[in-house]
């Protein structure tokens, strides 16, 4: 049933229309049509890298760490559509406002909008893609993306769609000028769901002729997700249809499990701009976000957001004659700035999973903490290039701790998903503390670390009882034990600095848990029984079983036996010394890439031998040669990974992006350093690929890395100097880096096997 406009009376959210002819000419106007245009680092970013293969990224628009991520959704269920989009698809079912970047589980895609010109059957809303009435074909030839901007031409209704966003509000622009029939309109489908997500309650209300409000509650990966929205249009609607669970209803309000609507506009009102503000708290807060952050035009917001991206991507300036390396690097840097996301409203409020409303001191709260992945390199990178956000991130974690009694494991939209192993908020907070961040309650933070690791959940009870987790007590016992051991070491570092000597001794002793699991006979970390006398058998180090009846998480013994980043010297010792350690480590990269098992994890990708770069447990391994006296092998294998695991194509990531970790590895390693043990405050040196890189760490501080003669052949460090003095160790300290200065390498085609053996000397 179609209801026409009545006298609404409320104030209209009018948007002046500008940029009538922008549409598909955006890229040409921006660059090719302007001879005075200066290429920026943003111009090297290709958001389509990672949308193919198993990268699981989205190509849509967002501000750095933005609250909203408007992006196209194909409507296809499946692992490779965790972000809602995959480059192999040719259908768009709509444009959701929230998206995940590179995760291995699908959720979000909330508040789906889709422009069209024909009245649609409401009974077909909220259905699987093949039953939806409003889907459209599209071609990648008429699709573009850049930081803060996305554009696509929908072939069936012949509508051009553009997306942008600022920190709080998603902006859509629909151009109907090529459509040959019908009336301009757009769909709002709150019953739309894909992968894990399922709506539990939703509502649409016509507030006035330019404002639509409502909410969508759902369960899925995030068990208690609540999204409130306010949608403003640049033109008044001339009519609308509303439906509940497939049935048309009269009136200005629809409330049920699956609600939907279609909103009609005059042909003269094109192109039309639509602004979408979200909140986890209330419709009132969504309207507040809209009023405070959604008053500008599409073009104005696009310009502002592009300016934000220019600023963030200019924090690292690299020099190389190879443009493809710049494309890979700056796309990687871009991907590291998509998560965690701003979660609080403009007044600082946000919802916790128990439905209480929180507010923290600072600039805002964050969510989407993929910590099993990002503690390794993405958070260490943010400590360098986004120091202004770090304290807010920690305060956010402490807010979640205050509600649930443990630090977050994998927080999605304010919900603890308990996904993956370990408790790596412990690492993130300890690392930040070690690196000098203090704008939070330090005592509360320390107690959060200690109480989390002294709890009973997630395997901590048997870990504390046995000193490791027995395989006959809990699956994934080896991985969980090794990660808890590292978490313990992190707690110990903070305890030591705060003068908690007994805690320091206790957690340092627990951090030796790996010694219980190392089998000298096979040379691997293996599952051990609760009586301490039996190894889990039969044993095949190449065997992988996903989630059940396994000692390892998303991997096998080859990949997980190296996770002792806090005590590499101890790991070398149990192997029988440096020579034996190096021999086994080299074998990892040269072993056959066969993986065996009945339920092999799909995450084991990017194989070089048994090294699996497509999943995070392998990311630190190549740097361990440094600690065994053969840094030239680190240089060789790091360069091999850089060269083979990243490309400029849509499938240019060898595994899930995982909220920035896959890309953070590249950013660090391309510069020539990596946080092998993040909370140590040290960065191991590898093989820099750029002639020069300038890290702008503040308005007045720069750290410059140069690599003389570096090339695809000249991958080996011949010599190095720090601030003009010879450097004979294989790492630099955080305080050395953030103080500013120079790190100069001389590179060559053959390894200098005597460099880097200075045992901590300059």
């Amino acid at each position: 049933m179609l209801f026409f406009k009545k006298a609404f009376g409320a104030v209209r959210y009018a948007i002046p229309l500008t940029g009538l002819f922008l549409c598909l000419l955006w890229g040409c106007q921006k660059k090719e049509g302007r001879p005075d245009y200066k290429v920026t680092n943003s111009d090297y970013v290709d958001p389509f890298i990672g949308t193919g293969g198993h990268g699981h990224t989205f190509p849509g628009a967002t501000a750095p760490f933005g609250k909203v991520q408007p992006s196209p959704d194909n409507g296809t269920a499946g692992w490779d559509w965790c972000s809602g989009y995959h480059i192999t698809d040719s259908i768009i079912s709509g444009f959701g406002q929230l998206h995940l970047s590179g995760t291995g589980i699908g959720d979000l895609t909330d508040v789906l909008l889709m422009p069209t010109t024909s009245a649609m059957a409401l009974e077909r809303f909220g259905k699987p893609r093949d039953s939806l009435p409003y889907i459209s074909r599209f071609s990648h030839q008429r699709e573009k993306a850049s930081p803060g901007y996305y554009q696509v031409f929908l072939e069936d209704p012949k509508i051009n769609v553009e997306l942008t966003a600022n920190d709080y509000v998603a902006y859509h622009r629909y151009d109907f000028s090529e459509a040959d029939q019908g009336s301009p309109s757009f769909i709002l489908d709150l019953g739309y769901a894909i992968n894990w997500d399922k709506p539990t309650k939703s509502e649409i209300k016509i507030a006035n002729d330019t404002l639509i409000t409502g909410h969508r509650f759902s369960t899925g990966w995030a068990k208690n997700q609540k999204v409130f929205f306010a949608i403003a249009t640049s033109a008044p609607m001339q009519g609308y249809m509303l439906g509940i669970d497939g049935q048309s209803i009269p009136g200005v309000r629809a409330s049920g499990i699956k609600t939907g609507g279609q909103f009609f506009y005059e042909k003269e009102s094109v192109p039309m701009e639509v602004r979408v503000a979200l909140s986890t708290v209330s419709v009132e807060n969504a309207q507040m976000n809209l009023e405070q952050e959604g008053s500008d035009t599409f073009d104005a917001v696009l310009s502002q957001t592009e300016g934000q991206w220019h600023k963030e991507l200019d924090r690292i300036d690299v020099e190389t004659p190879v443009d493809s390396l710049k494309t890979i690097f700056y796309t990687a840097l871009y991907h590291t700035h998509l998560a965690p996301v701003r979660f609080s409203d403009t007044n600082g409020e946000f919802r916790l999973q128990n439905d209480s409303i929180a507010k923290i001191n600072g600039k805002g709260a964050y969510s989407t903490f993929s910590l099993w992945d990002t503690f390794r390199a993405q958070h260490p990178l943010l400590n360098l290039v986004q120091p202004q956000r770090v304290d807010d991130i920690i305060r956010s974690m402490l807010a979640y701790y205050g509600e649930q009694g443990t630090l977050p494991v994998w927080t999605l939209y304010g919900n603890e998903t308990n996904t993956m192993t370990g408790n790596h908020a412990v690492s993130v907070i300890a690392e930040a503390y070690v690196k000098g961040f203090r704008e939070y309650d330090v005592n509360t933070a320390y107690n959060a670390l200690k109480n989390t690791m002294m709890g009973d959940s997630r395997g901590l009870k048997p870990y504390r009882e046995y000193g490791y987790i027995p395989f006959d007590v809990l699956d994934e016992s080896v991985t969980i034990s090794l990660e808890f051991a590292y978490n313990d070491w992190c707690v110990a570092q903070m305890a030591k600095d705060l003068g908690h000597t007994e805690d320091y001794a206790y957690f340092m002793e627990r951090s030796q848990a790996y010694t219980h699991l190392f089998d000298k006979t096979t040379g691997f970390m293996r599952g051990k029984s609760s009586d301490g006398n039996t190894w889990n058998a039969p044993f095949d180090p190449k065997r992988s079983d996903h989630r059940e009846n396994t000692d390892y998480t998303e991997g096998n013994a080859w990949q997980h036996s190296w996770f002792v980043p806090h005590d590499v010297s101890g790991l070398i010792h149990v192997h029988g010394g440096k020579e034996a350690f190096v021999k086994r480590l080299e074998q990892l990269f040269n072993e056959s890439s066969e993986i065996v098992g009945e339920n092999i994890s799909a995450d084991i990708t990017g194989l070089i031998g048994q090294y699996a770069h497509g999943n995070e447990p392998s990311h630190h391994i190549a740097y361990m040669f440094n600690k065994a006296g053969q840094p030239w092998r680190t240089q060789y294998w790091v360069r091999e990974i850089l060269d083979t695991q990243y490309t400029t194509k849509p499938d240019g990531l060898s595994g899930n992006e995982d909220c920035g970790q896959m890309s953070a590895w590249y950013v660090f390693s391309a510069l020539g350093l990596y946080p092998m043990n993040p909370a140590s405050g040290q960065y191991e040196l590898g093989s820099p690929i750029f002639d020069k890189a300038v890290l702008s760490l503040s308005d007045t501080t720069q750290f410059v890395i140069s690599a003389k003669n570096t090339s695809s052949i000249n991958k080996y460090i011949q010599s190095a100097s720090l601030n003009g003095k010879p450097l004979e160790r294989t790492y630099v300290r955080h305080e050395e880096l953030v103080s500013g200065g120079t790190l100069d390498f001389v590179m060559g085609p053959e390894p200098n096997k005597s460099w880097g053996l200075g045992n901590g000397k300059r």
Side-chain angles (χ1 to χ4, degrees):
M1 185 179 296
L2 180 62
F3 285 82
F4 289 93
K5 183 180 70 171
K6 299 179 180 179
F8 286 93
V11 177
R12 184 178 298 171
Y13 291 83
I15 304 175
L17 295 175
T18 58
L20 179 62
F21 300 105
L22 188 63
C23 300
L24 297 175
L25 296 177
W26 172 257
C28 297
Q29 292 176 345
K30 179 181 174 186
K31 300 175 186 176
E32 298 158 14
R34 289 177 49 186
D36 61 336
Y37 182 81
K38 181 181 178 181
V39 175
T40 69
N41 293 337
S42 293
D43 292 316
Y44 290 101
V45 174
D46 182 357
F48 290 108
I49 295 176
T51 61
H54 302 309
H56 296 185
T57 62
F58 65 84
T62 185
F65 310 99
K67 184 180 179 70
V68 290
Q69 310 84 34
S71 188
D73 294 302
N74 299 135
T76 302
W79 192 56
D80 279 331
W81 280 264
C82 286
S83 74
Y85 177 100
H86 196 268
I87 196 71
T88 58
D89 217 319
S90 60
I91 297 293
I92 286 178
S93 62
F95 303 89
Q97 315 312 307
L98 299 173
H99 292 86
L100 291 165
S101 179
T103 57
I105 299 176
D107 206 322
L108 304 185
T109 70
D110 295 81
V111 189
L112 188 84
L113 303 183
M114 183 65 165
T116 186
T117 57
S118 303
M120 297 294 172
L122 292 175
E123 63 269 17
R124 292 172 59 193
F125 283 24
K127 301 291 185 180
R129 183 175 86 171
D130 291 345
S131 299
L132 291 175
Y134 49 76
I135 62 174
S136 175
R137 293 170 299 127
F138 76 105
S139 168
H140 297 304
Q141 299 301 313
R142 301 190 72 175
E143 181 185 38
K144 294 179 182 179
S146 59
Y149 178 75
Y150 174 84
Q151 172 274 321
V152 68
F153 184 77
L154 302 177
E155 294 181 359
D156 296 321
K158 294 184 174 56
I159 299 170
N160 191 63
V161 175
E162 295 174 286
L163 305 175
T164 190
N166 59 26
D167 288 341
Y168 291 92
V169 180
Y171 277 70
H172 299 225
R173 179 158 60 189
Y174 307 142
D175 190 332
F176 300 85
S177 60
E178 291 191 44
D180 52 13
Q181 61 182 0
S183 300
S185 69
F186 68 87
I187 301 294
L188 171 60
D189 190 347
L190 301 183
Y192 175 87
I194 202 70
N195 288 329
W196 287 38
D197 181 68
K198 178 182 178 181
T200 57
K201 183 180 178 182
S202 64
E203 180 177 278
I204 300 173
K205 181 180 179 181
I206 310 299
N208 60 57
D209 61 356
T210 59
L211 180 64
I212 304 162
T213 63
H215 64 254
R216 184 181 190 272
F217 301 165
S218 62
T219 187
W221 192 13
K223 298 300 182 184
N224 181 29
Q225 187 188 1
K226 288 183 167 63
V227 179
F228 299 88
F229 62 85
I231 302 172
T233 58
S234 59
M237 69 178 75
Q238 301 301 303
Y240 61 89
M241 299 188 297
L242 297 180
I244 301 173
D245 301 331
Q247 301 297 317
S248 297
I249 65 163
V252 297
R253 181 175 180 177
S255 182
I257 295 177
K258 295 182 177 182
T259 61
Q262 186 171 3
F263 313 96
F264 298 88
Y265 300 83
E266 293 182 349
K267 291 183 178 180
E268 291 75 15
S269 62
V270 296
M272 186 171 72
E273 297 187 5
V274 180
R275 295 164 292 148
V276 186
L278 307 180
S279 168
T280 64
V281 176
S282 64
V283 165
E284 290 74 21
N285 272 27
Q287 290 184 251
M288 173 189 65
N289 293 338
L290 183 66
E291 292 167 359
Q292 294 187 10
E293 298 290 335
S295 61
D296 286 327
T297 65
F298 185 100
D299 287 334
V301 169
L302 176 58
S303 178
Q304 293 163 10
T305 300
E306 284 187 325
Q308 286 182 270
W309 279 114
H310 291 330
K311 178 181 178 181
E312 304 304 349
L313 296 174
D314 283 350
R315 291 179 188 270
I316 305 179
D317 197 53
V318 301
E319 295 180 11
T320 176
V322 185
D323 277 355
S324 62
L325 294 181
K326 285 189 175 182
T327 296
I328 297 171
F329 180 84
Y330 283 111
T331 302
L333 188 59
Y334 166 80
H335 279 143
T336 66
H337 286 55
L338 299 184
V341 299
R342 185 182 300 275
F343 190 55
S344 53
D345 295 327
T346 54
N347 64 359
E349 293 180 342
F350 59 101
R351 180 181 297 270
L352 297 171
Q353 64 184 1
N354 66 359
D355 285 324
S356 63
I357 304 303
K359 186 175 183 179
I360 61 174
N361 295 325
K363 297 180 180 179
Y366 289 83
S367 189
T368 307
F369 289 126
S370 182
L371 295 169
W372 187 78
D373 310 290
T374 57
F375 86 91
R376 305 168 197 267
Q378 198 251 0
H379 278 281
L381 182 64
L382 298 186
N383 288 337
L384 289 176
V385 300
Q386 293 291 320
Q388 73 278 14
R389 300 182 193 271
V390 173
D391 291 307
D392 281 339
I393 288 172
I394 294 175
R395 283 189 285 261
S396 302
M397 292 180 175
L398 295 179
Y400 301 130
Y401 165 77
E403 180 223 2
Q404 61 197 35
T406 60
L407 285 168
V409 175
W410 211 124
T411 303
L412 172 61
Y413 221 71
N415 283 241
E416 180 53 70
T417 68
N418 277 306
T419 302
M420 306 309 294
T421 47
N423 286 101
H424 298 299
V426 169
S427 171
V428 171
I429 294 175
E431 178 200 0
Y433 178 83
V434 166
K435 293 178 177 177
F437 294 92
R438 297 288 194 279
E439 296 301 317
Y440 51 89
D441 190 313
V442 170
N443 289 327
T444 297
Y446 176 72
N447 288 330
L449 266 65
K450 179 179 177 179
N451 293 340
T452 294
M453 293 308 298
M454 291 302 293
D456 290 340
S457 64
R458 298 174 51 79
L460 279 164
K461 185 175 181 180
Y463 175 77
R464 186 169 60 251
E465 180 180 352
Y466 296 98
Y468 63 96
I469 298 173
F471 74 83
D472 51 359
V473 173
L474 189 66
D475 281 336
E476 304 177 80
S477 60
V478 172
T479 297
I480 299 173
S481 296
L482 295 178
E483 293 183 9
F484 281 164
Y486 178 64
N487 298 151
D488 281 340
W489 186 87
C490 292
V491 179
Q493 306 317 298
M494 196 168 177
K496 182 180 180 180
D497 193 77
L498 291 172
H500 302 302
T501 55
E502 291 184 3
D503 287 354
Y504 170 73
Y506 173 77
F507 284 107
M508 282 298 287
E509 181 179 0
R510 283 203 339 187
S511 74
Q512 295 293 296
Y514 74 92
T515 61
H516 296 289
L517 300 178
F518 185 77
D519 176 15
K520 293 183 178 180
T521 303
T522 63
F524 292 100
M525 300 287 178
R526 293 182 60 183
K528 181 179 282 189
S529 62
S530 53
D531 63 12
N533 297 321
T534 307
W535 297 111
N536 198 0
F539 175 70
D540 185 338
K542 295 182 180 179
R543 184 176 184 82
S544 168
D545 287 295
H546 196 51
R547 301 299 185 199
E548 295 182 357
N549 303 314
T550 179
D551 292 326
Y552 312 98
T553 301
E554 296 182 357
N556 60 25
W558 270 114
Q559 291 133 25
H560 283 266
S561 293
W562 308 99
F563 191 73
V564 191
H566 58 290
D567 189 15
V568 182
S569 61
L571 186 61
I572 291 172
H573 175 73
V574 299
H575 273 83
K578 291 182 178 180
E579 183 177 347
F581 178 82
V582 167
K583 182 178 179 181
R584 174 50 65 93
L585 190 52
E586 186 74 11
Q587 185 182 354
L588 168 74
F589 290 95
N590 289 293
E591 187 72 16
S592 74
S593 295
E594 178 189 16
I595 306 293
V596 300
E598 296 177 359
N599 185 23
I600 298 173
S601 173
D603 294 278
I604 306 176
T605 57
L607 288 164
I608 303 175
Q610 284 289 312
Y611 173 91
H613 192 71
N615 209 20
E616 282 68 24
S618 288
H619 279 190
H620 70 291
I621 297 176
Y623 288 91
M624 300 181 91
F625 288 110
N626 278 358
K627 299 301 186 184
Q630 296 196 27
W632 64 272
R633 293 185 187 270
T634 284
Q635 296 152 34
Y636 175 85
W637 287 114
V638 166
R639 188 64 74 94
E640 183 72 9
I641 298 164
L642 286 165
D643 290 346
T644 63
Q645 302 301 304
Y646 299 84
T647 75
T648 59
K649 298 179 180 179
D651 63 354
L653 297 174
S654 61
N656 298 166
E657 166 62 16
D658 283 316
C659 294
Q661 170 57 29
M662 187 69 71
S663 289
W665 188 96
Y666 189 91
V667 171
F668 268 121
S669 295
L671 295 174
L673 61 163
Y674 188 78
M676 186 186 74
N677 172 3
S680 71
Q682 296 180 358
Y683 304 89
E684 294 295 323
L685 302 182
S687 180
I689 66 173
F690 298 120
D691 298 337
K692 184 179 180 181
V694 179
L695 283 68
S696 296
L697 304 174
S698 71
D699 292 339
T700 58
T701 305
Q702 291 184 335
F703 190 82
V704 181
I705 302 171
S706 69
K708 185 178 180 181
N709 302 326
T710 188
S711 70
S712 60
I713 297 173
N714 296 336
K715 65 184 70 174
Y716 295 106
I717 297 174
Q718 306 300 297
S719 63
S721 61
L722 180 64
N723 297 326
K725 297 180 180 180
L727 184 69
E728 291 296 334
R729 49 180 157 88
T730 61
Y731 63 88
V732 293
R733 301 181 181 92
H734 181 75
E735 59 267 26
E736 293 170 333
L737 201 159
V738 297
S739 295
T742 59
L743 175 61
D744 299 302
F745 297 98
V746 176
M747 309 298 290
E750 299 295 332
N752 177 357
K753 296 182 180 181
S754 63
W755 178 82
L757 308 182
N759 297 319
K761 298 179 182 178
R762 294 198 67 91

